[in-house]
Amino acid sequence: MNEMSENKQKIAIYPGSFDPITWGHIDIIKRASLLFDHVIVAIANNMNKQPLFTVDERMEMIRASISGIANISVDSFQGLLVKYARRNNAVAVIRGLRAVSDFEFELQMALVNRKLDEQLITVFLMPHEKYSYLNSSIVRELASLDGNIDCFVPEIVKQKLLIKMRKK
Ligand code: ADP
């Protein structure tokens, strides 16, 4: 690394499906915002997945949920994460580690990404333990069964889920 790159703003990408964003994601975003100059929360627009929410709906929910944090922006991308990271001059990729069960897959991803781009560093952050069992699919399932999701997602996300479930 040369002197120029060391003086540059440290940008990190936090990629994911965010279908929808939960308090677990928000916990990770807040931690990342303390470590980096700028964090881009980037929705991976993955053709193989059948998301509940459109990319625009997910972006809107993320924006509403993190409106108090200055150094965050929200975006979406298609294709390889390493290429997207390079286009955005990112030095790091953030991923959340909840439990040992996340580790194997995340390690594989991190090592593949390192193979593709050695400069890009994957940083794992752990959420507060109260979010360690939480993921978006549990939230979707609870919402579809009319379960209480108050402590899992911000109010705006809860409202969007209720509307979505009524339409289904
Ligand atoms: P992906 O399809 O990429 O796994 P997700 O939206 O499920 O997308 O997750 C994005 C990232 O956020 C992943 O690194 C995941 O481990 C992390 N994450 C998801 N839920 C939580 C949570 N409750 N606490 C901490 N990290 C989480």
Side-chain angles (χ1 to χ4, degrees):
M1 282 183 216
N2 60 33
E3 254 176 65
M4 288 281 283
S5 66
E6 276 170 21
N7 291 333
K8 271 202 289 198
Q9 273 226 334
K10 296 273 189 272
I11 298 168
I13 311 276
Y14 179 31
S17 309
F18 305 101
D19 188 33
I21 189 166
T22 70
W23 284 119
H25 294 124
I26 296 165
D27 178 295
I28 298 294
I29 292 170
K30 284 182 182 162
R31 289 175 204 276
S33 77
L34 299 174
L35 291 175
F36 293 92
D37 296 312
H38 190 82
V39 178
I40 305 172
V41 182
I43 297 173
N45 195 352
N46 187 340
M47 295 299 184
N48 298 327
K49 286 196 180 177
Q50 286 281 316
L52 178 63
F53 290 101
T54 65
V55 168
D56 284 345
E57 288 171 327
R58 284 179 273 165
M59 293 208 353
E60 190 191 328
M61 285 186 280
I62 298 172
R63 284 208 183 93
S65 305
I66 50 131
S67 59
I69 318 174
N71 59 336
I72 310 284
S73 58
V74 185
D75 193 13
S76 69
F77 71 100
Q78 271 182 345
L80 274 182
L81 173 63
V82 293
K83 287 190 183 165
Y84 175 75
R86 183 151 283 203
R87 281 203 300 280
N88 285 279
N89 299 316
V91 293
V93 168
I94 307 289
R95 294 290 289 176
L97 269 190
R98 285 159 289 191
V100 183
S101 50
D102 280 340
F103 182 76
E104 210 167 326
F105 175 72
E106 293 294 342
L107 176 71
Q108 184 185 25
M109 290 261 295
L111 294 179
V112 169
N113 283 335
R114 186 191 279 166
K115 196 83 189 162
L116 295 174
D117 185 344
E118 225 176 290
Q119 305 283 313
L120 191 63
I121 299 171
T122 301
V123 176
F124 293 111
L125 296 175
M126 277 160 285
H128 191 286
E129 64 263 22
K130 67 185 172 190
Y131 304 128
S132 61
Y133 56 88
L134 182 56
N135 64 28
S136 300
S137 69
I138 292 275
V139 167
R140 291 195 302 271
E141 188 159 350
L142 277 175
S144 74
L145 299 170
D146 225 7
N148 189 339
I149 50 169
D150 284 355
C151 52
F152 300 150
V153 295
E155 180 63 26
I156 172 132
V157 176
K158 180 184 158 186
Q159 294 308 328
K160 297 266 181 207
L161 271 163
L162 291 177
I163 293 167
K164 194 62 105 177
M165 293 306 163
R166 251 180 254 137
K167 280 190 197 152
K168 277 189 110 183

